[in-house]
Amino acid sequence: MVSPKIAVLVPCYNEALTIGKVVSDFKIFLPDAEIYVYDNNSKDGTSVIAREAGAIVKYEKKQGKANVVFKMFREIDADIYIMIDGDDTYPVDCIQQMLDQFIENNCDMLVGDRLSNNSYKNQNKRAFHNFGNNLVRNLINVFFGSELKDILSGYRIFSKKFVKNYASTIKGFELETDLSIYSLNYELVIDEYSIDYRDRPEGSVSKLNTFTDGFKVIKLFFNLVRLYKPLLFFGTVSAVMFILGLLFMTIPIREYFEYKYVYKVPTLIFSIMLIILSLLAFMTGLILDNISIIDKKNFKVRYNSTR
């Protein structure tokens, strides 16, 4: 039986302190894999250290993790793809067990779950990160009817079908959220493997901004709900406007029954406008929902035809 070709993808930006160890660990625990480090305009010699450690080094000038990963997906040919950050926060010694689970369960994507065993909560010292992880996870699980444990993990394994069909317009650290929602929307096979997360070593600086990047992730989530679940999104907007319209309409109706005359005509007009807009929003949701259903059917045909 021919062994699958495995590619390790390491998007990097100023990770000179840790990239050498990440590459060396994969050389030990997955010696037959090809390790690709894509340097995203680092200024600390990341690419030199990665090359000396034995990685295949390439470059992406467009700033942003998502831009780097898109280029990796486009350029690298393999049967199985392992994506990991270059900051040495994810364990490599369990990679064979992760691969075994990925292959055995015929997964499209397997996620390194940092949250189930509380290793992320115990190790991560950045304020509000645990709160942000739980908020995003709960929102996605509620809206998409899933039971995922870790939405934002950067440690993932993908099938070739997934890599060659994945498309998005994002650019930065919202990538993991988009990967998770994309998989849920198209009903791909997702699995999780509990890992022991460790915080960055002393001197290694995170590129994440808790509030700025957190806001981007929340904004992306609602944009993806609008895109992937338009009937739910526009139906909610429609229901809110319809209820407000009815509430405002009670004022002129009460006046009419009391005085046989409507004094607050602008309120009546405003309430009617809200009800009309609510109907338009609902029709928009219906139309976009039908388009979304057709898109899913086309995706499945395209996905199943990928060799």
Side-chain angles (χ1 to χ4, degrees):
M1 181 179 177
V2 180
S3 299
K5 182 180 179 182
I6 301 173
V8 179
L9 316 183
V10 192
C12 270
Y13 173 62
N14 289 340
E15 299 290 3
L17 187 65
T18 54
I19 188 59
K21 183 176 183 304
V22 173
V23 174
S24 298
D25 285 349
F26 272 104
K27 288 287 184 181
I28 294 170
F29 292 101
L30 214 59
D32 295 330
E34 292 184 336
I35 305 168
Y36 294 86
V37 172
Y38 274 55
D39 192 337
N40 194 204
N41 303 311
S42 297
K43 299 175 177 62
D44 62 351
T46 293
S47 59
V48 175
I49 296 172
R51 190 177 289 108
E52 289 175 350
I56 301 168
V57 177
K58 296 189 178 184
Y59 301 89
E60 171 54 59
K61 295 298 181 184
K62 293 180 183 178
Q63 199 66 42
K65 182 178 181 180
N67 287 325
V68 181
V69 172
F70 294 156
K71 188 171 185 179
M72 288 175 151
F73 283 2
R74 185 171 66 250
E75 293 183 347
I76 298 170
D77 187 62
D79 300 310
I80 297 175
Y81 298 77
I82 301 168
M83 184 182 78
I84 191 170
D85 293 338
D87 55 9
D88 193 34
T89 57
Y90 298 110
V92 178
D93 56 357
C94 61
I95 188 59
Q96 191 57 59
Q97 290 90 338
M98 292 176 71
L99 283 169
D100 290 343
Q101 181 174 326
F102 177 84
I103 294 171
E104 181 181 349
N105 295 342
N106 196 25
C107 297
D108 294 297
M109 179 175 72
L110 183 137
V111 181
D113 166 24
R114 309 160 298 165
L115 304 182
S116 292
N117 60 9
N118 290 321
S119 62
Y120 185 83
K121 181 179 180 180
N122 296 332
Q123 287 284 317
N124 189 277
K125 301 177 180 65
R126 284 159 286 181
F128 298 109
H129 275 226
N130 291 307
F131 171 78
N133 270 278
N134 291 330
L135 175 63
V136 174
R137 178 188 62 191
N138 292 335
L139 282 172
I140 290 176
N141 283 339
V142 168
F143 277 83
F144 288 86
S146 58
E147 296 180 351
L148 297 180
K149 300 178 183 68
D150 193 348
I151 300 294
L152 302 177
S153 173
Y155 196 8
R156 299 176 184 237
I157 303 177
F158 306 102
S159 67
K160 184 172 186 175
K161 281 186 175 184
F162 185 103
V163 166
K164 296 308 178 183
N165 284 283
Y166 176 66
S168 180
T169 58
I170 62 169
K171 299 178 181 179
F173 282 99
E174 311 97 309
L175 174 69
E176 286 81 8
T177 305
D178 189 73
L179 286 167
S180 298
I181 294 179
Y182 178 90
S183 303
L184 290 171
N185 178 67
Y186 290 114
E187 300 175 352
L188 303 181
V189 181
I190 311 171
D191 207 351
E192 293 177 301
Y193 181 93
S194 181
I195 61 170
D196 292 320
Y197 176 89
R198 53 180 176 262
D199 205 6
R200 284 173 171 268
E202 187 175 349
S204 179
V205 181
S206 173
K207 316 306 182 299
L208 291 172
N209 181 291
T210 301
F211 297 103
T212 302
D213 290 315
F215 174 76
K216 288 179 181 178
V217 168
I218 298 297
K219 179 182 175 183
L220 173 70
F221 166 75
F222 284 106
N223 279 333
L224 292 177
V225 170
R226 176 178 56 83
L227 177 66
Y228 292 140
K229 292 188 173 293
L231 187 57
L232 173 63
F233 182 86
F234 287 100
T236 302
V237 172
S238 172
V240 170
M241 289 193 294
F242 188 79
I243 292 170
L244 286 174
L246 289 179
L247 289 174
F248 278 105
M249 190 173 284
T250 58
I251 298 172
I253 289 176
R254 189 177 66 247
E255 285 184 338
Y256 179 79
F257 281 105
E258 188 173 345
Y259 305 111
K260 302 301 179 184
Y261 189 83
V262 175
Y263 293 96
K264 294 183 175 62
V265 175
T267 303
L268 177 62
I269 295 172
F270 180 66
S271 64
I272 292 172
M273 286 179 59
L274 282 176
I275 291 174
I276 292 172
L277 288 173
S278 74
L279 294 175
L280 288 174
F282 183 71
M283 292 305 298
T284 300
L286 280 178
I287 293 169
L288 292 177
D289 188 61
N290 285 327
I291 294 173
S292 178
I293 291 171
I294 294 170
D295 172 64
K296 286 182 181 179
K297 290 180 179 179
N298 291 337
F299 174 84
K300 288 181 179 179
V301 171
R302 185 172 70 249
Y303 198 83
N304 292 331
S305 65
T306 304
R307 308 189 80 178

